[in-house]
Amino acid sequence: DGGGDGGGGGTPDPAELPPVHVLTDYNNEAWQTQWEDELVPGFTDETGIEVEMEYSGMSGSQENRLATLIQSGDPPGMNTSTFDQVADLWASDQLAEVSGLMDGVQSTCGELIASPLTQDDKLWQVSHGYYTSVFHYRKDVYEELGLEVPESIEGMIENARVIDESDLDIRGYGLAGQKTGKAQDELQSFLANMGTSGIGVRWKDGEIGGELEVHYPEDTVVKLLEYFQQLAEYSPDPTGIGWSGSLGGWAGGRFAQQYNLNMWPAGVAASAGAEEIAKNTGVAPLPRWKSEGIDKSQNWQYEPTPDGHHVFAESENPVGTKQFLE
């Protein structure tokens, strides 16, 4: 049943099944408590199947660990990520279909607001949540300096300059420059707001559907890198900012603008006791390349990106993995 659907019928004696190996970046204190005190013991008590939890770092380090496991011939039962991080594995038939599990998820949680990868009405990801790329800004800093929420990348840079050159003890922008995860994501997201697909392809005829063609225009990419060079002048050292640094830096009041996901910075600030920063975390659409006439219809960020769990067909216990997700 490694590549099939469903998770229950015909299951062997649990004593004969290897443990379910879970690789996940849902690993903060609250999540570890949820896994280890509730989900894992509850599942093992019910089925007799053991679960081995392995916690990875955030985007960047997790892909490296997953690649190591796969190359050694020992893929995990499941991992947690956005689909684009495992698309090559799906394309080489390494993932198991999970349509039946998603039926159960939707019966409990409601219909999907955006679909994971679907082919021939088959789903390959058990959705958990969705990521939306947004612009965060400190409302109190904006108010004190008389700034407006920028609609353009140029306006965002100008705000960063004003903040950085003010008497306030805060930098103008938090730019990601670490080589894992966020720097890549920030580049791709802003390219999307410049009318260019961050993954380097576009629809050949200009309409959604049909054939794709390679499209990674050098002038646009270079222009964005030039923008990032300007932002770096108003940022703490970008090489020290990744996903974790962006969240910790926000909660610590180090910078007043940044790219991030959903409302993560506000949640982290609140949990760290920085309530005023949490309350003053503003959220807005990412500024776009307005000077070149890029409007909303040319934005490649057209829907939330599903995050969730993938089952590996060649893992030691794909049947047990599906049962655990169920």
Side-chain angles (χ1 to χ4, degrees):
D1 193 27
D5 194 19
T11 302
D13 183 342
E16 299 176 1
L17 292 173
V20 170
H21 180 186
V22 174
L23 177 66
T24 183
D25 58 358
Y26 291 166
N27 60 2
N28 61 22
E29 184 177 352
W31 260 112
Q32 290 194 30
T33 299
Q34 178 84 346
W35 292 120
E36 296 170 13
D37 293 354
E38 298 184 34
L39 298 176
V40 170
F43 173 74
T44 300
D45 288 346
E46 182 178 317
T47 65
I49 301 173
E50 299 292 328
V51 178
E52 295 178 352
M53 296 298 305
E54 180 178 353
Y55 303 115
S56 65
M58 300 185 80
S59 178
S61 56
Q62 183 180 10
E63 290 94 324
N64 292 337
R65 175 58 179 158
L66 180 61
T68 298
L69 290 169
I70 291 171
Q71 289 167 6
S72 67
D74 186 26
M78 65 167 255
N79 86 305
T80 306
S81 68
T82 54
F83 189 84
D84 59 351
Q85 294 169 315
V86 293
D88 57 334
L89 304 176
W90 168 81
S92 56
D93 298 323
Q94 295 186 52
L95 300 185
E97 182 198 344
V98 292
S99 303
L101 297 183
M102 281 307 302
D103 290 342
V105 170
Q106 292 186 83
S107 68
T108 302
C109 304
E111 293 184 5
L112 294 167
I113 61 172
S115 296
L117 180 77
T118 305
Q119 187 180 52
D120 299 327
D121 295 323
K122 296 178 181 179
L123 289 168
W124 305 87
Q125 180 186 56
V126 178
S127 294
H128 179 270
Y130 298 91
Y131 292 149
T132 302
S133 299
V134 291
F135 174 68
H136 289 101
Y137 64 98
R138 282 281 297 274
K139 293 188 290 186
D140 52 344
V141 172
Y142 266 45
E143 183 176 351
E144 183 161 348
L145 297 176
L147 300 176
E148 298 289 335
V149 177
E151 292 186 359
S152 69
I153 296 175
E154 299 90 341
M156 181 181 69
I157 296 172
E158 176 60 16
N159 282 358
R161 182 193 67 77
V162 171
I163 295 166
D164 210 61
E165 294 178 358
S166 74
D167 293 332
L168 300 178
D169 185 21
I170 192 168
R171 301 303 305 271
Y173 193 88
L175 180 66
Q178 279 187 353
K179 293 184 178 180
T180 56
K182 190 173 188 290
Q184 169 190 319
D185 206 59
E186 193 156 353
L187 177 78
Q188 291 179 320
S189 296
F190 274 98
L191 278 176
N193 260 26
M194 295 170 79
T196 296
S197 166
I199 59 174
V201 295
R202 67 178 177 183
W203 301 114
K204 196 167 186 179
D205 58 4
E207 298 294 329
I208 295 176
E211 293 185 48
L212 290 167
E213 64 180 357
V214 174
H215 180 67
Y216 214 61
E218 182 177 349
D219 57 343
T220 303
V221 176
V222 169
K223 185 63 178 177
L224 179 56
L225 293 174
E226 290 173 349
Y227 282 143
F228 282 170
Q229 279 188 320
Q230 295 176 56
L231 283 170
E233 296 178 23
Y234 312 122
S235 172
D237 182 2
T239 62
I241 300 178
W243 286 117
S244 296
S246 72
L247 298 171
W250 191 262
R254 297 184 66 201
F255 38 82
Q257 301 182 124
Q258 69 165 330
Y259 156 81
N260 219 291
L261 303 174
N262 300 344
M263 280 298 282
W264 282 10
V268 170
S271 66
E275 294 185 7
E276 286 306 308
I277 292 177
K279 291 176 182 177
N280 280 289
T281 298
V283 61
L286 280 183
R288 60 184 185 273
W289 203 16
K290 204 169 181 180
S291 65
E292 292 296 316
I294 301 299
D295 62 28
K296 294 177 182 178
S297 69
Q298 296 167 289
N299 185 342
W300 274 73
Q301 295 175 332
Y302 57 90
E303 70 174 7
T305 300
D307 183 58
H309 312 294
H310 309 99
V311 177
F312 283 80
E314 301 303 319
S315 63
E316 287 190 324
N317 191 357
V319 174
T321 301
K322 289 183 178 182
Q323 285 184 282
F324 181 59
L325 283 170
E326 222 168 15

